[in-house]
């Protein structure tokens, strides 16, 4: 009588243990999905000239993540989603769960910025902290509402090679007129003067370190948005900044199911167009 009962209990214990391990694995994959790179062992990052590509994106925006996955897979570009801080995280810091590698941060105290602006500021801080921590030589940061030039890999091969060794930040996309100071190294590279928008920028190791020091000193009470801080750092040449013009990345808005329209600039050779996702009025 006892032996069958003991066998049943032993099997039950094993099942409980295996269920516990499975639950931990599922939880870990959910919490750290931003670190699961689609091709972590691939050398394809080099095709764009950067060590790594981060795409900050909040989990609720499933449609944006699907869009970015579709665009970058079409391009054959490996990338990693980075968990973005949300306005809810800012308003409810007591409920925020820090993920592996993230620096614990003090809840913000800024009457000048909205929770959404603070969340964006903190997201970029977290990305830059990771760039510095992982010691990437260069990193590309892409927003999750963008279109990419279909020939971006071919163009970036010459752009990256033409950058001066002292570069800090490169805007692959922007929403300002930045063609007043051309460079002699490449016809599409211009010295940034008053760059606007931060949906596609690359940082060198030195640039990430400089930017991290400034952002760390501003938190938890930043008085300006992340994009304004970047622009302020470029004007006095604290960051050696360049832009690609015409841009190779454009910001887009979703206007209906699976149809997108450029916000500031329409790419001449659009990946969204090739995927059949670009608004007809914006096709060239």
């Amino acid at each position: 009588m006892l032996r069958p009962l003991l066998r049943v209990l032993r099997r039950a214990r094993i099942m409980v243990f295996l269920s516990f391990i499975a639950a931990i694995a599922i939880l870990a994959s959910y919490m750290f999905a931003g670190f699961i790179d689609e091709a972590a062992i691939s050398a394809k990052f080099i095709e764009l000239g950067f060590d790594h590509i981060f795409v900050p994106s909040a989990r609720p925006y499933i449609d944006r993540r699907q869009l970015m996955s579709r665009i970058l897979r079409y391009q054959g570009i490996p990338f990693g989603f980075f968990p973005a801080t949300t306005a809810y995280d800012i308003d409810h810091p007591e409920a925020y769960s820090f993920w592996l590698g993230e620096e614990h941060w003090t809840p913000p105290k800024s009457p000048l910025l909205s929770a959404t602006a603070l969340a964006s500021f903190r997201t970029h801080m977290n990305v830059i902290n990771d760039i510095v921590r992982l010691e990437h030589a260069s990193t590309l940061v892409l927003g999750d509402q963008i279109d990419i030039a279909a020939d971006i890999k071919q163009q970036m091969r010459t752009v990256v090679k033409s950058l001066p060794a002292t570069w800090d930040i490169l805007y692959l996309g922007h929403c300002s007129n930045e063609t007043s100071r051309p460079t002699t190294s490449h016809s599409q590279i211009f010295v940034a003067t008053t760059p606007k928008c931060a949906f596609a920028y690359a940082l060198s190791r030195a640039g990430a370190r400089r930017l991290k020091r400034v952002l760390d000193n501003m938190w938890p009470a930043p008085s300006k948005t992340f994009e304004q801080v970047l622009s302020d750092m470029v004007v006095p040449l604290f960051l050696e900044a360049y832009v690609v013009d015409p841009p190779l990345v454009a910001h887009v808005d979703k206007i209906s199911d699976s149809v997108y329209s450029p916000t500031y600039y329409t790419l001449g050779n659009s990946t969204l167009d090739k995927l059949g996702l670009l608004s007809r009025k914006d096709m060239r």
Side-chain angles (χ1 to χ4, degrees):
M1 288 291 292
L2 286 176
R3 286 184 180 177
L5 181 59
L6 289 173
R7 278 198 294 268
V8 171
L9 289 174
R10 192 176 296 115
R11 287 175 185 169
R13 262 183 260 166
I14 292 172
M15 289 301 295
V16 169
F17 176 75
L18 291 176
S19 299
F20 178 72
I21 295 298
I24 290 177
I26 293 171
L27 180 61
S29 67
Y30 176 80
M31 289 180 65
F32 310 131
F35 290 99
I36 298 174
D37 204 292
E38 299 220 334
I41 60 173
S42 171
K44 285 190 175 181
F45 288 113
I46 203 66
E47 291 187 13
L48 280 179
F50 307 109
D51 283 4
H52 201 83
I53 300 169
F54 282 125
V55 181
S57 183
R59 296 191 188 282
Y61 299 124
I62 297 174
D63 56 338
R64 296 185 186 180
R65 296 165 78 91
Q66 289 174 338
L67 173 68
M68 289 308 303
S69 295
R70 194 167 175 185
I71 288 175
L72 294 172
R73 283 171 181 157
Y74 176 86
Q75 289 280 358
I77 298 173
F79 67 101
F81 279 122
F82 190 95
T85 305
T86 66
Y88 182 87
D89 297 327
I90 297 298
D91 290 333
H92 302 85
E94 72 286 349
Y96 185 75
S97 298
F98 292 91
W99 36 267
L100 183 65
E102 183 182 8
E103 292 186 2
H104 284 249
W105 45 271
T106 305
K109 302 173 183 177
S110 177
L112 301 176
L113 298 181
S114 67
T116 300
L118 287 168
S120 175
F121 193 102
R122 188 66 229 187
T123 295
H124 287 283
M125 278 190 72
N126 288 343
V127 171
I128 293 162
N129 287 339
D130 247 33
I131 294 172
V132 173
R133 181 178 65 85
L134 298 173
E135 298 185 345
H136 292 310
S138 60
T139 307
L140 176 61
V141 183
L142 296 174
D144 60 0
Q145 286 184 283
I146 60 169
D147 188 10
I148 294 176
D151 58 347
I152 189 171
K153 289 190 286 189
Q154 293 86 338
Q155 293 200 55
M156 283 306 299
R157 288 192 189 107
T158 59
V159 168
V160 171
K161 290 178 182 178
S162 302
L163 285 171
T166 52
W167 75 279
D168 289 317
I169 184 170
L170 173 69
Y171 288 85
L172 279 70
H174 52 89
C175 47
S176 53
N177 185 1
E178 292 289 323
T179 58
S180 62
R181 297 182 61 188
T183 63
T184 57
S185 60
H186 194 286
S187 61
Q188 281 182 266
I189 300 177
F190 296 82
V191 177
T193 52
T194 55
K196 293 182 175 64
C197 301
F199 53 79
Y201 64 93
L203 289 170
S204 67
R205 179 185 286 122
R209 287 173 175 169
R210 288 193 182 96
L211 192 50
K212 174 177 166 54
R213 286 196 295 270
V214 171
L215 297 178
D216 284 348
N217 287 332
M218 290 182 173
W219 194 267
S223 59
K224 297 182 178 181
T225 65
F226 175 76
E227 293 176 355
Q228 290 171 328
V229 172
L230 274 187
S231 185
D232 287 351
M233 292 176 68
V234 167
V235 174
L237 297 180
F238 185 80
L239 287 178
E240 187 172 333
Y242 299 90
V243 300
V244 178
D245 201 285
L248 298 177
V249 182
H251 188 274
V252 297
D253 287 324
K254 186 175 183 179
I255 59 175
S256 64
D257 189 34
S258 299
V259 178
Y260 296 83
S261 179
T263 310
Y264 310 105
Y265 181 84
T266 301
L267 299 174
N269 190 9
S270 160
T271 298
L272 283 180
D273 189 8
K274 293 186 178 298
L275 291 171
L277 301 176
L278 191 67
S279 168
R280 287 191 174 275
K281 70 179 181 64
D282 297 306
M283 292 181 182
R284 288 192 173 187

